[in-house]
Amino acid sequence: MPYIVYGLFTVAEAGKREYFYVGKTRRAVEIRVREHVYSTLRAQQDVYAFLRKLDAADTMWDWITLRECNEGEHAPDAERIEVIRLLREGHDLRNMRYGDAHHRDELVRQRDTLWIRDVQDIAIDRSIKEALKRKRKSRNLQRRELSRMLRTEGIANVRECRLLSKVIRDRLTVSGQRTRLDGRRATRQT
């Protein structure tokens, strides 16, 4: 059975859904939602504390399938893109509140990175991050290697890529103008 990414939400007075959690499961979503209800009795994560508040206020909540993962789609990436999409829409999600600082920082960076638009972009982001980690370990991150990686992964706008440090972004751009990745100055397009 493929992974299903689902969202838990309440309905606001205007009839708009207000999502508070995104999850993934291989089982029937109804079973996973029942587990969430059972976990409100003892679990301490933010989502369960929030569910207890909803129950105390007699507020109804529900779930919806946000996406079914395609064959070969990495389920954590599919869940992550839905979290990013809902955060960008202004929903106050209780996902990963108790995760370590690295995961929270990564989620904020991905939310604010404009080129991340779908599951493939999350996969590219992950592969670039892993490649940069390998290169940093060797302490030999060269401009031409980074340029090759960026060309391969299709990152066109070096200035907006938050994976790169400010120093690297500045070296790949010349006096505020975008440069081609091979180091030659690009012609300014208006």
Side-chain angles (χ1 to χ4, degrees):
M1 182 172 185
Y3 272 100
I4 296 172
V5 178
Y6 62 94
L8 303 181
F9 65 91
T10 60
V11 178
E13 294 172 8
K16 183 181 176 204
R17 291 180 181 153
E18 293 181 0
Y19 289 91
F20 60 88
Y21 183 77
V22 174
K24 68 181 179 316
T25 185
R26 276 189 185 237
R27 297 171 287 152
V29 179
E30 295 85 357
I31 293 171
R32 184 65 186 113
V33 169
R34 272 187 264 150
E35 290 173 350
H36 283 301
V37 171
Y38 181 76
S39 294
T40 59
L41 300 174
R42 291 200 170 89
Q44 298 303 312
Q45 290 92 345
D46 257 5
V47 66
Y48 302 119
F50 186 74
L51 286 171
R52 285 191 290 272
K53 285 181 185 178
L54 291 178
D55 288 342
D58 203 28
T59 302
M60 299 297 295
W61 59 276
D62 205 353
W63 64 273
I64 189 169
T65 298
L66 297 173
R67 80 182 308 135
E68 290 185 24
C69 295
N70 299 327
E71 192 66 32
E73 203 172 50
H74 190 58
D77 290 347
E79 179 185 21
R80 177 62 63 99
I81 196 64
E82 291 300 324
V83 167
I84 290 169
R85 181 181 65 82
L86 292 173
L87 287 173
R88 286 176 178 168
E89 291 176 6
H91 295 277
D92 185 21
L93 298 180
R94 270 76 181 160
N95 287 66
M96 295 186 255
R97 290 274 176 97
Y98 288 106
D100 63 10
H102 170 74
H103 284 107
R104 286 192 308 268
D105 292 345
E106 180 183 48
L107 180 62
V108 168
R109 181 188 52 74
Q110 288 178 336
R111 180 197 66 199
D112 295 340
T113 302
L114 300 178
W115 65 266
I116 293 181
R117 297 173 311 273
D118 55 23
V119 176
Q120 291 81 15
D121 292 342
I122 294 287
I124 289 169
D125 182 65
R126 184 171 22 87
S127 69
I128 290 172
K129 190 176 101 181
E130 289 168 1
L132 287 173
K133 269 188 194 175
R134 286 191 303 272
K135 292 295 179 184
R136 282 188 188 127
K137 285 181 183 176
S138 71
R139 295 268 208 217
N140 192 15
L141 180 62
Q142 305 230 347
R143 179 178 175 178
R144 108 179 131 255
E145 178 63 20
L146 181 59
S147 296
R148 186 195 61 75
M149 282 177 16
L150 291 171
R151 273 194 310 275
T152 303
E153 299 300 342
I155 297 176
N157 193 341
V158 173
R159 260 215 182 298
E160 289 185 17
C161 182
R162 297 295 171 222
L163 284 173
L164 305 174
S165 70
K166 182 179 180 335
V167 172
I168 300 291
R169 283 195 315 257
D170 289 346
R171 285 186 181 171
L172 291 174
T173 57
V174 177
S175 45
Q177 297 177 356
R178 190 168 163 229
T179 63
R180 291 175 37 179
L181 294 176
D182 61 4
R184 290 180 282 170
R185 182 173 285 173
T187 57
R188 183 169 233 161
Q189 298 175 352
T190 55

